[in-house]
Amino acid sequence: MFYPLNVKDFLDRAETVYPDRVGVTDEPTQPAPSLGAVSYRSLAGMARSQAAWLDGLDVPVGGRVAIVSHNAGRMLASFFGVSGWGRILVPINFRLGAEEIGYIVAHCGADVLLVDPELRGLLDSVPAKHTVVLGDDAMFTGGGQPRPWAADEGATCTLNYTSGTTARPKGVQLTHRANWLNATVFALHAGVTDRDVYLHTLPMFHANGWGMPYAMTGLGVHQVVLRKVDGAEILRRVRDHGVTVMCAAPAVLNAVLEALDSWEGEIPGRDRVRVILAGAPPPTRTIERIRADLGWEFIQIYGLTETAPLLTINRLRSEWDDLPAEEQARLLGRAGAPALGVRIAVSESGEVLSQTNHNLDAYWENPDATAEAQADDWFHTGDGGAFEDGYLSITDRKKDVIISGGENVSSIEVEDVLNSFPAVREVAVIGIPDEKWGELVTALIVTDGSPVTAEDVIAFCRTRLAGYKTPKRVEFVDELPRTATGKLQKFKLREPYWKGQSRQVN
């Protein structure tokens, strides 16, 4: 017998097993009325009401429902109310400008646009057949039974747009099967149980919150919604709600570490919280501080929106228990070992490839990009890496490899060293054209205000890096350009140096 996987399975289980448990504690301070504490029975009712509401608008199976929202209980419900009855949820980054959001809404052909009250101005600038401000409607309270959907696990469940660091964003089609398997495998490796309390520090729009809205719901986990990232507020939520697990980019944990300077009293969550990081290989120093200063378990994953996202996971192994803390941190700094059901390989050119049942189905209306990304039955990540002893290490984006004096230089390796320099707050390492070296290793640094010179930085690096990897040029800048999801836009940093060059390599 065969029963198709449907993301609504997670909500159905929560309603069946944990109907009266508080499933979601909504953000208390937000423009829309807070939902407060919501039981899983009520969350399931909200999802059914939303699906019936979409029936009333004649949104067909396969119709796209775009949502632009900060983390919120209503957004969490939409992962089920939209996709669970056959429509496609399109979570859009709320930090994007109106023109970028308008492009995505038009490109996917959204039937409905749902927006956060703080962004109601989008209703005037982004056209859609139906536009609604979350919190101003009865979509979650109208009741009624939605039309049944004969679930198809191969149907597109969500359409997640990439951040577009070098070109127009692409729509990543993730099926019900892909999202279901990603959430289940992720929860298995993270050791999630119904005794956990999950804090939504990660934006839900970002790769569907890495699948956590599904996984945590299916396992009956109490989910605490955080609308906006603030280091001290994260510590308060950990203390007040007994948080045990969260997902975050390195910048979020840096904010928490900075908040420790003014935190009074016992550090909450010590020896209880596990934090799952992804987005960029964090500096070894950051890993050490998370483990020592916060007392939280550090877990790292690697993946992309196109892989739903889980590809690898790195947790402390029993074999490492007796190693020095610094060596443990170094080992944890790798991207990790393949998750269950994931195959990893590295091409002859050094590109990381993956095979998994939760890779993307296709890029929306972009067959050429789909064929390129899925060539030879492997997903091509665009990242450079090494796969040794069962563990993947990300060395660079392929386009970020610096070739200086004929030697390949990993910008990530150089950045890791520079991040351990006390005066460095942020750093980006790029290659710029040079007649002698071909490409000159160049460090662009945001300091913490401490007096420091380029000579100081270079001397520091010489004691820790091979000569050809040591920056030959150091510049101090006020800020580094990033995408709305926090990705460093190195192509913008390179532009002034490579202007007029016929190629972007030298």
Side-chain angles (χ1 to χ4, degrees), residues 373-397:
Q374 297 178 341
D376 301 318
D377 200 33
W378 287 90
F379 174 70
H380 294 247
T381 66
D383 289 331
F387 187 52
E388 299 173 343
D389 301 324
Y391 277 76
L392 176 68
S393 296
I394 300 300
T395 57
D396 233 314
R397 293 292 297 177

Side-chain angles (χ1 to χ4, degrees), residues 311-433:
L311 288 179
T312 68
I313 189 160
N314 196 350
R315 293 187 76 173
L316 191 71
R317 294 172 50 153
S318 59
E319 292 92 336
W320 306 343
D321 285 350
D322 296 328
L323 296 176
E326 184 178 356
E327 176 65 9
Q328 290 177 340
R330 187 191 68 79
L331 291 169
L332 288 168
R334 297 176 295 177
L340 184 64
V342 175
R343 299 175 184 86
I344 295 291
V346 176
S347 71
E348 290 184 1
S349 65
E351 182 179 13
V352 177
L353 310 175
S354 76
Q355 289 180 331
T356 168
N357 283 303
H358 43 82
N359 279 352
L360 81 164
D361 185 45
Y363 289 113
W364 185 261
E365 296 184 348
N366 196 336
D368 291 342
T370 301
E372 182 180 358
Q374 297 178 341
D376 301 318
D377 200 33
W378 287 90
F379 174 70
H380 294 247
T381 66
D383 289 331
F387 187 52
E388 299 173 343
D389 301 324
Y391 277 76
L392 176 68
S393 296
I394 300 300
T395 57
D396 233 314
R397 293 292 297 177
K398 283 182 66 182
K399 60 182 176 295
D400 288 345
V401 172
I402 302 166
I403 303 178
S404 184
E407 296 282 356
N408 287 357
V409 178
S410 164
S411 67
I412 290 176
E413 181 183 3
V414 182
E415 287 165 356
D416 191 50
V417 169
L418 286 167
N419 271 304
S420 64
F421 189 81
V424 172
R425 194 176 74 194
E426 289 184 278
V427 62
V429 172
I430 61 172
I432 66 174

Side-chain angles (χ1 to χ4, degrees), residues 185-198:
V185 172
F186 205 146
L188 173 68
H189 282 291
V192 179
T193 76
D194 62 6
R195 295 177 183 271
D196 276 310
V197 178
Y198 181 75

Side-chain angles (χ1 to χ4, degrees), residues 151-456:
D152 174 8
E153 66 178 31
T156 300
C157 173
T158 58
L159 189 54
N160 304 84
Y161 277 78
T162 61
S163 55
T165 56
T166 58
R168 281 289 198 180
K170 297 189 289 288
V172 175
Q173 293 177 237
L174 295 175
T175 64
H176 281 264
R177 177 180 173 84
N179 281 327
W180 201 103
L181 290 172
N182 172 79
T184 302
V185 172
F186 205 146
L188 173 68
H189 282 291
V192 179
T193 76
D194 62 6
R195 295 177 183 271
D196 276 310
V197 178
Y198 181 75
L199 180 61
H200 279 280
T201 45
L202 183 75
M204 295 180 191
F205 72 76
H206 189 36
N208 305 321
W210 299 352
M212 290 302 158
Y214 306 125
M216 298 299 169
T217 297
L219 293 172
V221 172
H222 178 195
Q223 302 176 63
V224 179
V225 175
L226 181 72
R227 180 176 171 84
K228 294 184 179 180
V229 169
D230 175 270
E233 186 57 34
I234 290 172
L235 289 170
R236 282 191 286 271
R237 302 286 176 102
V238 171
R239 178 194 63 197
D240 296 346
H241 295 281
V243 169
T244 61
V245 62
M246 67 182 81
C247 297
V252 175
L253 266 295
N254 286 336
V256 176
L257 291 170
E258 290 176 7
L260 287 180
D261 294 339
S262 56
W263 182 261
E264 296 181 0
E266 183 180 347
I267 297 172
R270 183 174 287 278
D271 300 323
R272 183 186 77 221
V273 169
R274 56 199 190 278
V275 60
I276 305 168
L277 265 72
T284 303
R285 183 179 64 170
T286 299
I287 299 174
E288 290 180 300
R289 289 200 63 198
I290 291 168
R291 302 180 71 221
D293 296 0
L294 288 168
W296 295 357
E297 181 184 359
F298 174 89
I299 303 172
Q300 183 172 195
I301 69 157
Y302 165 71
L304 301 87
T305 300
E306 287 92 336
T307 59
L310 184 66
L311 288 179
T312 68
I313 189 160
N314 196 350
R315 293 187 76 173
L316 191 71
R317 294 172 50 153
S318 59
E319 292 92 336
W320 306 343
D321 285 350
D322 296 328
L323 296 176
E326 184 178 356
E327 176 65 9
Q328 290 177 340
R330 187 191 68 79
L331 291 169
L332 288 168
R334 297 176 295 177
L340 184 64
V342 175
R343 299 175 184 86
I344 295 291
V346 176
S347 71
E348 290 184 1
S349 65
E351 182 179 13
V352 177
L353 310 175
S354 76
Q355 289 180 331
T356 168
N357 283 303
H358 43 82
N359 279 352
L360 81 164
D361 185 45
Y363 289 113
W364 185 261
E365 296 184 348
N366 196 336
D368 291 342
T370 301
E372 182 180 358
Q374 297 178 341
D376 301 318
D377 200 33
W378 287 90
F379 174 70
H380 294 247
T381 66
D383 289 331
F387 187 52
E388 299 173 343
D389 301 324
Y391 277 76
L392 176 68
S393 296
I394 300 300
T395 57
D396 233 314
R397 293 292 297 177
K398 283 182 66 182
K399 60 182 176 295
D400 288 345
V401 172
I402 302 166
I403 303 178
S404 184
E407 296 282 356
N408 287 357
V409 178
S410 164
S411 67
I412 290 176
E413 181 183 3
V414 182
E415 287 165 356
D416 191 50
V417 169
L418 286 167
N419 271 304
S420 64
F421 189 81
V424 172
R425 194 176 74 194
E426 289 184 278
V427 62
V429 172
I430 61 172
I432 66 174
D434 182 79
E435 288 186 5
K436 180 179 181 180
W437 299 103
E439 295 179 10
L440 201 67
V441 180
T442 301
L444 305 175
I445 293 173
V446 180
T447 73
D448 62 1
S450 303
V452 62
T453 67
E455 290 72 23
D456 295 334

Side-chain angles (χ1 to χ4, degrees), residues 54 59 63-67 82 87-91 110-112 114:
L54 291 169
V59 178
R64 277 74 68 199
V65 178
I67 183 167
V82 174
R87 284 105 181 180
I88 301 172
L89 184 68
V90 187
D111 294 276
V112 180
L114 308 176

